[in-house]
């Protein structure tokens, strides 16, 4: 389970509050499954590499704040890049 939490939590930047309903949902500009297809391998490789540096200990990976932040930053960066590209295309 130590691998799963930071991996899944990385996608929390794609969640937004729907002001009309008061519920949280995936951002309308994002297809989460496309994001997973694009970034899944990269996030998994980063997780495996971090695990190796922490002695192949999944529990340590799940508690590594730096790893959580790195995965989150990868997803958020791609999300912001996509939003920027959509707004600059004429």
């Amino acid at each position: 389970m130590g691998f799963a939490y930071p991996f899944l939590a990385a996608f929390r930047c794609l969640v937004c509050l729907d002001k009309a309903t008061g519920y949280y949902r995936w951002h309308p500009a994002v297809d989460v499954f496309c994001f997973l297809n694009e970034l899944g391998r990269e996030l998994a490789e980063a997780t495996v590499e971090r695990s190796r540096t922490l002695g192949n200990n999944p529990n340590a990976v799940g508690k590594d704040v730096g790893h959580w932040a790195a995965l989150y930053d990868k997803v958020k960066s791609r999300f912001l890049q996509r939003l920027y590209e959509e707004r600059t295309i004429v």
Side-chain angles (χ1 to χ4, degrees):
M1 280 314 270
F3 290 157
Y5 288 125
F7 189 93
L8 295 173
F11 290 90
R12 70 188 183 276
C13 63
L14 305 179
V15 174
C16 67
L17 176 64
D18 184 341
K19 293 178 182 176
T21 63
Y23 292 107
Y24 287 90
R25 64 183 181 91
W26 295 114
H27 193 282
V30 172
D31 179 355
V32 178
F33 294 107
C34 286
F35 257 77
L36 184 59
N37 285 335
E38 285 179 33
L39 292 172
R41 183 180 188 95
E42 185 178 340
L43 297 177
E45 288 172 354
T47 299
V48 168
E49 183 59 34
R50 190 65 186 142
S51 174
R52 287 182 181 142
T53 63
L54 295 173
N56 294 318
N57 183 348
N59 191 34
V61 173
K63 293 178 179 179
D64 184 2
V65 176
H67 183 61
W68 283 66
L71 296 186
Y72 179 84
D73 288 344
K74 286 178 189 284
V75 175
K76 187 173 183 179
S77 175
R78 184 68 56 93
F79 173 57
L80 293 174
Q81 178 184 5
R82 183 169 292 169
L83 287 179
Y84 175 77
E85 290 170 353
E86 288 177 3
R87 292 182 185 194
T88 58
I89 295 175
V90 178

